[in-house]
Amino acid sequence: MNAAKRTSTFTESVIREMTRIANLHEAVNLAQGFPDFPMPEPMKDAACAAIHGDINQYAVTWGSSALRHAIAEKYRRWYKMEVDPDREVTVTCGATEAMASVFLALIDPGDEVIVFEPFYENYGPDAILAGATPKFVPLERPNWTIDADRLRQAFTKRTKAIIVNTPHNPSGRVLTRAEVSLIAELCVEYDAWAITDEIYEHIRYAGDHHVLATWPGMRQRTITISGLSKTFSCTGWRLGYAVAPHAQTTPIRKVHDFLTVGAPAPLQAAAAVGMAFDRDYFNHLALDYRARRHVLVEALDEAGFRFSIPEGAYYILADFSELSDMDDVTFAKWMTQEVGVATVPGSSFYHDKALGRTMVRFAFCKKFETLKRAAERLSTLRSVV
Ligand SMILES: Cc1ncc(COP(=O)(O)O)c(C=O)c1O
């Protein structure tokens, strides 16, 4: 018996394969986008207290009241955005589940969904699960900007939604006010949804974080997705959320209920503690990542890679064409084996694989000692390539 056709184009994550090779060669793993340092102590304590306090049964399907209120309060405090915690918030198992639930709740088979490339790997499979037709719009190198004409041409009367990820994985780009305004204008003109992925909202080195839902005319046509994984260094907790108008929250909650019933109850209790942290925590997070970025930027520069310095998130998408003629997959495997640093081949972030053939992605969400070890190894690259 065959598996369902919809899975036929799904591939095993390249990141997992690179991790397997990295382990085999004891390479420094800069492929995976998760921190190798601990999350905040007060949240760990709150999680333990919740478990010992017997918060161990199903939470309310769309999220505990405390966490939904903490999320709404955070949007008010940070972005002056009024959110109704009872009618507009759905807590999910990570931003990943939020995105899948939103696709399944709002997109019909045959609808077109605009996706910028390079993209975070999950958007393609999400579109396939929903039967949507993704339309890819490349961000323009070298600085990963949006070409207004190209974006305009991608919108048609079949466009149902656009996925907007800022700060951006894998390029590190933070969209400008003008770019966000253009997206808003096109969504209004074509009556399309904006589905945002703002998981790196607090990891920024330049530019403001623009919340599309706060743009004139956009609140009623934007689904704002974010989560705890990156802001609180807890990718294993699997906590995210979608903020949407009530009419759309209703179907999103239904899909979420059927997919997962709910997110982990004791961790939701601890998440509410983190959401209420004061600004110092968030400022410190960004400063800390700025210092980690510096270590990797220097190392890649000296090693001879070409790249634009990330404005946000914790990745560098680097071009190696001045170092080697190999393709990206061969180069990534070679570098893992011979230099001892694992990365993700650039083509895994593109639908048009040719566009990523000369690039690899480095993640710098790692301890300073891990990054320095990687830097030492990268300093040998030119002598072995
Ligand atoms: C752009 C983007 N969105 C979502 C996720 C996953 O988020 P979560 O852990 O909340 O599912 C990642 C993880 O790397 C990401 O880079």
Side-chain angles (χ1 to χ4, degrees), residues 284-302:
H284 189 268
L285 178 81
L287 282 174
D288 195 61
Y289 269 118
R290 179 188 289 275
R292 294 179 207 278
R293 179 185 68 157
H294 180 70
V295 177
L296 189 59
V297 162
E298 292 234 300
L300 295 186
D301 210 21
E302 274 164 31

Side-chain angles (χ1 to χ4, degrees), residues 33-34 93-97 99 120 122-123 165 167-169 197-200 226-230 234-236 238-240 314-315 361:
F34 61 75
C93 297
T96 301
E97 193 238 318
M99 188 59 82
Y120 169 55
N122 278 31
Y123 302 152
N165 170 218
H168 185 249
N169 171 13
D197 179 340
E198 308 186 22
I199 191 108
Y200 297 102
S226 192
L228 282 279
S229 287
K230 314 290 172 171
C234 59
T235 56
R238 313 305 309 125
L239 282 178
Y314 47 51
Y315 308 98
R361 189 197 73 176

Side-chain angles (χ1 to χ4, degrees), residues 105-264:
L106 302 186
I107 310 293
D108 274 317
D111 286 343
E112 289 180 1
V113 176
I114 296 175
V115 179
F116 292 105
E117 61 180 347
F119 48 72
Y120 169 55
E121 279 181 303
N122 278 31
Y123 302 152
D126 282 340
I128 291 166
L129 286 176
T133 308
K135 276 194 97 173
F136 297 98
V137 176
L139 294 172
E140 304 295 324
R141 293 178 69 183
N143 293 324
W144 311 109
T145 46
I146 294 175
D147 178 322
D149 290 335
R150 249 176 147 160
L151 181 60
R152 200 174 283 281
Q153 277 162 19
F155 274 83
T156 72
K157 57 182 188 315
R158 283 188 305 281
T159 303
K160 189 70 174 285
I162 178 168
I163 311 298
V164 184
N165 170 218
T166 181
H168 185 249
N169 171 13
S171 73
R173 185 74 213 297
V174 173
L175 294 183
T176 59
R177 179 169 285 280
E179 286 168 318
V180 172
S181 298
L182 171 68
I183 293 169
E185 184 195 306
L186 290 168
C187 285
V188 171
E189 188 178 330
Y190 286 88
D191 193 21
W193 295 107
I195 306 173
T196 68
D197 179 340
E198 308 186 22
I199 191 108
Y200 297 102
E201 63 192 296
H202 292 291
I203 303 177
R204 273 181 299 101
Y205 322 105
D208 290 327
H209 179 59
H210 298 303
V211 178
L212 196 43
T214 62
W215 249 245
M218 289 307 289
R219 181 68 168 87
Q220 293 312 309
R221 56 175 70 257
T222 303
I223 318 299
T224 306
I225 294 175
S226 192
L228 282 279
S229 287
K230 314 290 172 171
T231 302
F232 300 106
S233 311
C234 59
T235 56
W237 277 24
R238 313 305 309 125
L239 282 178
Y241 47 87
V243 175
H246 179 62
Q248 285 66 48
T249 292
T250 305
I252 293 168
R253 285 179 173 182
K254 282 186 202 160
V255 174
H256 160 71
D257 187 5
F258 294 132
L259 285 178
T260 68
V261 177

Side-chain angles (χ1 to χ4, degrees), residues 302-305 322-326 330-341 374-385:
E302 274 164 31
F305 289 90
E322 282 176 13
L323 290 165
S324 163
D325 292 334
M326 291 180 225
T330 314
F331 182 78
K333 287 184 179 163
W334 171 84
M335 196 165 65
T336 309
Q337 207 164 323
E338 302 300 327
V339 182
V341 177
E376 272 162 30
R377 293 179 179 198
L378 286 165
S379 70
T380 66
L381 194 146
R382 271 199 237 251
S383 60
V384 286
V385 73

